[in-house]
Amino acid sequence: PSGLCAERSLLFMHQSNYADDAIEAIAISSNPSPRECYPCGACRQTLLDVERRQQRPMRVIMAGEYTATVVEKAELLLPFTFKL
């Protein structure tokens, strides 16, 4: 079952404590694993919801030990989305 991932916990904490401050970027890392770490589907939807709520894109950095993939907005991670 889906639980609370670190990304969603961070986003929920930020929204409850700093709702007026937009998030410019979020980094997800799997260090010390050499494989890059990608957000689950529930996290992707939450990233998109936050991005839409703040009305500006959020860069998502997905890193491993030696590599990283960067997308310039969370919307690119979830092409078929639910709308609030």
Side-chain angles (χ1 to χ4, degrees):
S2 183
L4 275 179
C5 300
E7 302 96 285
R8 280 187 288 149
S9 296
L10 175 69
L11 293 169
F12 297 150
M13 184 282 302
H14 182 272
Q15 287 182 358
S16 66
N17 291 292
Y18 309 101
D20 294 332
D21 296 336
I23 300 171
E24 294 182 22
I26 186 169
I28 305 161
S29 177
S30 60
N31 193 5
S33 172
R35 297 178 61 194
E36 292 179 4
C37 187
Y38 304 107
C40 71
C43 287
R44 290 175 191 220
Q45 183 66 46
T46 302
L47 287 162
L48 179 61
D49 291 343
V50 170
E51 189 173 79
R52 287 179 176 163
R53 197 172 295 116
Q54 68 184 20
Q55 298 181 348
R56 59 189 286 194
M58 178 187 343
R59 184 179 307 111
V60 182
I61 304 160
M62 299 159 286
E65 190 172 7
Y66 301 109
T67 64
T69 298
V70 180
V71 295
E72 292 304 316
K73 55 185 179 178
E75 182 178 26
L76 296 173
L77 296 173
L78 196 61
F80 303 103
T81 65
F82 297 106
K83 302 227 180 197
L84 294 175

